[in-house]
Amino acid sequence: MAHRPHRVLLSRLLPDAEPEEFDVREGQFHLVVIGPNRVVCLPRTDAAAARLPRRAAVLRILAGIDLGFRTPDPLEESGTDRVDEPPFLVMSRIPGTPLTADVLEDPQMADVVAGQYVGLLAGLARAGADDSARAELPAPEDRWRRFAVDVRAELFGMMSAGGRRRAERELGVLEDLPHLTAAVVHGDLGPENVLWESSDGFPSLSGVVDWDEVTLGDPAEDLAAIGAGYGDSLLGRVLTLGGWDDRETTTRIAAIRGTFALQQALAAHRDGDGEELADGLAGYR
């Protein structure tokens, strides 16, 4: 199993579970080991390891804001006093599991889920006015322009001529987006990062995990992730219930959603993750 090189460390950090009971999940940047009450994040690359202190700091900021849902609390971090151990971050475990797509086949269930996503996004919008969030979270003014420049410089050499033409179309639309920073934006609000429990037979939002990409920005980014993860039907429900079904918002959503593969590829290239890079560039080669 993938966590065997870390068996001694995990036995110390997750004392309430036997190794065979660990739930191990592999993300783009981290190996996540889930115990009964605690979660251990093990970076897969040196770049991801370097970001762990910032990740813990962000979680502390979020813990001090009433978002209306739970976020992980940082409990323990690797330190310089134990250089023999690999880098890690221990967090509290948020109960629940990701929602499966079949749940949304029932229109009543889909409406319940959409309503709770509206509440989630409303909590992030309120957090955007919090002084601590605005003081600590990044709000890069030239984010999309800089992203387009970096994609051209770092990824175009790996693309076919047709792939570069496709990327240019997507980046050209992206560069026209306005600079918005009113809300806290999760940045990776895919289904795997939103956890649910059951309440009276209906899904109940439990919490949100994986805040590595959080910024002050445009809620359209999180709406785009909902659409990419669950499809246009649920996204349409969320937009209608939240009052976001205007042409300006849907245009921004489409522009951001169109670059998700490029975002994945650029991050993977910088972290040296060949598998994720190849997946992100599959449509550009």
Side-chain angles (χ1 to χ4, degrees):
M1 294 180 64
H3 63 267
R4 279 180 179 165
H6 307 286
R7 183 179 294 273
V8 174
L9 173 65
L10 292 172
S11 295
R12 179 174 74 79
L13 298 177
L14 299 174
D16 297 332
E18 296 297 325
E20 58 270 15
E21 298 173 337
F22 295 158
D23 181 4
V24 182
R25 300 178 187 177
E26 290 197 42
Q28 182 173 355
F29 304 117
H30 304 98
L31 187 70
V32 179
V33 185
I34 303 173
N37 302 301
R38 292 153 62 100
V39 174
V40 180
C41 178
L42 301 167
R44 296 178 59 187
T45 66
D46 290 341
R51 292 193 295 266
L52 280 185
R54 175 62 181 166
R55 184 178 194 180
V58 165
L59 291 176
R60 292 188 184 95
I61 294 168
L62 295 173
I65 303 173
D66 181 13
L67 293 170
F69 54 85
R70 285 173 285 192
T71 59
D73 293 321
L75 303 176
E76 184 178 349
E77 303 170 56
S78 50
T80 56
D81 57 329
R82 302 191 69 153
V83 295
D84 57 317
E85 288 186 339
F88 66 85
L89 173 63
V90 182
M91 300 165 287
S92 61
R93 178 178 179 176
I94 303 298
T97 58
L99 198 67
T100 56
D102 61 290
V103 172
L104 301 177
E105 295 174 2
D106 182 329
Q108 187 177 13
M109 291 285 193
D111 284 340
V112 169
V113 170
Q116 292 185 68
Y117 264 113
V118 170
L120 187 165
L121 293 165
L124 293 177
R126 289 193 305 271
D130 184 276
D131 289 341
S132 62
R134 299 204 67 81
E136 298 295 335
L137 297 182
E141 184 171 355
D142 60 347
R143 176 185 176 190
W144 296 120
R145 182 198 63 78
R146 184 159 40 86
F147 171 74
V149 169
D150 291 346
V151 167
R152 293 184 181 107
E154 299 181 41
L155 299 183
F156 268 31
M158 307 177 198
M159 299 179 185
S160 67
R164 289 192 290 273
R165 287 193 294 271
R166 172 187 167 182
E168 282 290 4
R169 291 193 297 270
E170 295 166 345
L171 295 173
V173 175
L174 193 69
E175 289 176 300
D176 292 333
L177 293 179
H179 177 57
L180 302 176
T181 62
V184 171
V185 173
H186 180 276
D188 189 13
L189 205 62
E192 68 280 359
N193 291 329
V194 183
L195 304 181
W196 303 78
E197 297 180 292
S198 180
S199 177
D200 297 325
F202 289 94
S204 176
L205 179 65
S206 177
V208 180
V209 299
D210 194 355
W211 292 86
D212 280 10
E213 306 300 322
V214 64
T215 62
L216 296 171
D218 185 353
E221 187 171 352
D222 284 338
L223 288 163
I226 294 171
Y230 284 118
D232 291 334
S233 179
L234 180 66
L235 177 61
R237 282 179 160 88
V238 173
L239 294 177
T240 300
L241 287 172
W244 301 307
D245 53 353
D246 58 281
R247 182 175 180 82
E248 181 181 347
T249 302
T250 56
T251 297
R252 299 200 315 273
I253 291 170
I256 294 169
R257 186 173 171 179
T259 64
F260 278 172
L262 291 174
Q263 291 185 46
Q264 173 186 325
L266 183 62
H269 174 59
R270 290 175 169 175
D271 269 25
D273 189 328
E275 183 177 346
E276 289 288 337
L277 174 63
D279 182 63
L281 288 181
Y284 300 86
R285 288 179 159 169

